[in-house]
Amino acid sequence: MSNCILIVAPHADDEILGTGCTIQKHIEAGDTVSIVIVCDRSYNDSSVLMSERAEACRAINHLGVNTSNVYFIGMKDEHLDSNSRDIIKNIEHIYNEIRPHTVYYCHSADINTDHHAVNRACGVITRQLQHNSPDKVLIYEVPSSTTQSQDKTFKPNFYSILTQQQVDRKISALLEYKSEVREFPNPRSAQGIETYSMFRGMECNSSLAEAFQLVIHKE
């Protein structure tokens, strides 16, 4: 049975860093994956903005997601912490249209304040006392953001076991974000993704994995 999956990313590339292999697993299982990207980095430059959105679509499509299922909300980068109401309204509109079975969103303790705001908004949107409550909600980490948190409160309790092919495709997708890729040992690098996948794999006695906090599971 196929399910509708919603992934909420504060910025383009967070969806790859946090869920790039798990996206592929959902596609392979026949699920429909939709991705919401909340912020635009080049908010004031329309030509650069369109180029960045096209780059994001190429990266996401590389994982098998139909670009018609990618939603750009268009909010301003680094300004979400003062705009919770609009974040909720914009994401919830898409959420109610999709009615997802499973939702993934970023962790509350990420060092990036936009991530804090998206986490709070998604906590409201995925509340259980509503008609379209999700059956499953998972919090993902963003290597280079979650890992720099001072309180280190991301503690995985759910692991998505990966194949080498899935990790390789995740790396290829990330490399589409040319301005966001960094040199190793930064996690935003090909070797960083590989190493992080191995690290999470070792935690669950597997070769490779992505890690999550499972916060709602009705089944």
Side-chain angles (χ1 to χ4, degrees):
M1 177 179 171
S2 63
N3 293 309
C4 292
I5 312 299
L6 178 62
I7 296 167
V8 182
H11 311 95
D13 79 356
D14 291 328
E15 79 290 346
I16 303 292
L17 289 164
T19 64
C21 291
T22 302
I23 288 171
Q24 297 174 61
K25 292 181 68 174
H26 279 297
I27 296 292
E28 290 161 8
D31 296 334
T32 300
V33 176
S34 296
I35 297 175
V36 171
I37 296 174
V38 179
C39 292
D40 285 311
R41 289 189 171 91
S42 299
Y43 185 81
N44 295 317
D45 188 326
S46 59
S47 62
V48 177
L49 182 150
M50 296 311 295
S51 176
E52 289 180 347
R53 288 187 176 186
E55 182 180 71
C57 286
R58 287 195 299 272
I60 294 167
N61 185 249
H62 199 78
L63 302 178
V65 178
N66 192 314
T67 52
S68 65
N69 292 331
V70 181
Y71 299 83
F72 295 94
I73 289 178
M75 300 188 73
K76 191 174 182 179
D77 184 28
E78 299 181 353
H79 284 73
L80 295 188
D81 53 338
S82 61
N83 207 0
S84 296
R85 184 176 298 175
D86 283 347
I87 305 169
I88 293 170
K89 180 178 68 176
N90 287 317
I91 299 175
E92 194 162 45
H93 174 74
I94 298 166
Y95 175 92
N96 287 330
E97 178 183 318
I98 294 170
R99 298 187 178 187
H101 171 277
T102 302
V103 180
Y104 295 83
Y105 60 88
C106 56
H107 191 252
S108 61
D110 283 14
I111 201 169
N112 189 302
T113 57
D114 286 343
H115 294 206
H116 299 181
V118 170
N119 173 277
R120 291 195 303 271
C122 288
V124 174
I125 293 161
T126 60
R127 62 194 181 277
Q128 289 299 284
L129 298 180
Q130 61 172 316
H131 292 301
N132 301 324
S133 62
D135 289 335
K136 198 171 182 180
V137 175
L138 300 103
I139 308 296
Y140 64 81
E141 61 181 335
V142 179
S144 79
S145 183
T146 316
T147 49
Q148 292 190 76
S149 170
Q150 295 301 309
D151 56 20
K152 306 294 184 187
T153 56
F154 181 81
K155 300 184 186 304
N157 61 359
F158 185 89
Y159 293 87
S160 179
I161 307 304
L162 312 175
T163 66
Q164 185 63 54
Q165 183 181 29
Q166 288 163 347
V167 174
D168 290 343
R169 287 186 71 186
K170 175 175 179 172
I171 292 168
S172 296
L174 180 66
L175 294 178
E176 291 286 348
Y177 287 112
K178 302 187 188 306
S179 62
E180 299 302 321
V181 174
R182 302 290 184 265
E183 295 293 326
F184 186 77
N186 192 296
R188 293 171 175 267
S189 63
Q191 191 175 348
I193 293 295
E194 182 84 36
T195 302
Y196 218 82
S197 300
M198 293 171 64
F199 169 68
R200 289 307 190 192
M202 286 189 292
E203 287 187 330
C204 62
N205 195 31
S206 182
S207 297
L208 302 163
E210 285 178 335
F212 303 91
Q213 286 184 344
L214 178 64
V215 294
I216 294 173
H217 192 192
K218 291 183 181 178
E219 298 170 350

